[in-house]
Amino acid sequence: MSTAPAARVSGVTKRFAGTLALDDVELEIAAGEIHALVGGNGSGKSTLIKILAGVHTADAGRLETPGGATDLRSATPALAEAAGFRFVHQAQSTFPELTVAENLSIGRGWETGPGKLISERRVRRRVEAVLERFHIDADPGAPLRTLGPAAQAMLTIARALQDQADSRAHVLVLDEPTAALPPAEVEILLAALRRYASDGTAVLFVSHRLDEVMEVADTVTALRDGRRTATKPRAELTHDELIELIAGRPVVPHVADTARLRGGATVLAAEAIGGGSVSDVSLTVGEGEIVGLTGLAGAGTSTLLRLLFGAQQRDCGTVAIDGRAVKPGSISDAIVAGMAFVPGDRATYGVFDSLTVAENLTAGGVGRYWRRGWVRGRQERRDVHAAFGRFLVRASSPEQPIAQLSGGNQQKVVMARWLSRPGRRLVLLDEPTQGIDVGAREELWSVVRRAAADGAGVIVASSMLEELADTCDRVLVMRRGRIVHEVRESPITVDRLIDRIHSVEVVS
Ligand SMILES: Nc1ncnc2c1ncn2[C@@H]1O[C@H](COP(=O)(O)OP(=O)(O)OP(=O)(O)O)[C@@H](O)[C@H]1O
């Protein structure tokens, strides 16, 4: 690993009305290193990245790169690009139906030959060179969707960096690069990042997955409440020290609660349901039971939850809560029956962008705050206050527009909205802790366990196998829209889950 600085930022301060998002932050990234940026929800990570990208301007701050200095008060995307920064976001647009070569040419252009016609030979030569340089094993003519998820992520990285001849001339910035990847694919992407760094690329990545930070980072910078709490070589940090830098306190792992009644009377009975990618799924969930759902990407876990809730129309089968049939495709009937749903794609389904935090918190239970035509304002305020504390929501006030909250805090509000509802019988959670910081994650799981202890059934779809192993009474493994295994050994272990997820692949 080289130690030449690829970029150095200093004195970065940013205030949004009422919130000091960054306070005099410094960060130095060396060429050839993987530098992890960690911190709790709302600690300022995205704000710093957006300033580096020129999406936000800073109130103060300076960026130095080998090419010169930039005043971050006048940061722009063009200046960021000229300084060598390249950004790969989770939702980076790729085109699954187009070929690898087409995906690597869009936005950049195609090589032409005589008469300005596209020269397929020259395009192919360039694309093959890029694939080799970024260690991607793919045919330029193959549709992108035929590649595995990690290879697709590597392709978005290659696309961002392909025109930089010198690896040392740029800083690759990744936001939660592994969040959408199943466990086996995570290792492929992390190995690729290591190779890119050993070629001289400086990699800055934001992550809440601390095991990955411990595995792959050379250096770790932690932010808390907009301030840098430490920059350290990862080799000098233990997992627990890292948690303390982020949370400001040790986070005590939960002790399994034995008092919970697991699998009492049947809450959910689903029979032979199908729709979208899911076919012929039957399952039951008992009172107080927490059932996990996992599988490789595309296995159908999210679709199954949406079919159960009615957010997606089912083609066949029946769903009943406490013996009462729930109409297909009717969210309102599902809610009346006692279902609650925390979707994975919160940008599309979870958050009411134009409303305040308080309005988002109470949106699922408006009826509760009306009594003979009067809004019970005090009760609502009390509930909002309690939810803020219990879910560790970081917002300047309940009146703040939710769009101004950090991603993780928006997720906490969505969880709070659904889990605080009285009378819920079945709670459906899709990747509930994605983007949630280590301090709040334990807290969220304890709220889920409390909901189960109160008698609700819970189904949780997640790729975080440790969390499933810690919390679930049994885990269902899906593949191609069907349930293919049930893991209910006590204790459920991560190794066992990985084995079942992959043995499914071998069987086929
Ligand atoms: N456009 C905005 N207007 C007002 N406040 C904002 C805005 N963007 C961010 N903030 C506030 O700045 C603080 C830092 O937010 P930021 O998104 O940088 O956190 P983060 O560390 O990326 O969090 P997460 O891990 O949840 O993604 C938060 O308190 C957030 O509410």
Side-chain angles (χ1 to χ4, degrees), residues 16-17 19 21 39-48 50 56 208 394-395 400 403-409 435:
F16 295 104
T19 307
N41 295 130
S43 60
K45 303 179 298 296
S46 305
T47 304
L48 182 58
K50 284 178 185 162
H56 287 323
H208 289 294
R394 188 173 187 274
Q400 190 174 10
Q404 294 180 357
L405 261 56
S406 75
N409 280 300

Side-chain angles (χ1 to χ4, degrees), residues 47 75 170 189 198 203 229 247 318 322 326 336 338 356 394 396 411 474 503:
T47 304
H170 55 246
L189 184 64
S198 66
V203 180
T229 50
T318 57
D322 295 326
V326 182
V336 170
T356 66
R394 188 173 187 274
S396 57
Q411 173 73 345
R474 58 192 166 103
S503 80

Side-chain angles (χ1 to χ4, degrees), residues 283-299:
L283 78 159
T284 58
V285 178
E287 274 182 337
E289 197 181 21
I290 304 179
V291 177
L293 209 53
T294 195
L296 297 175

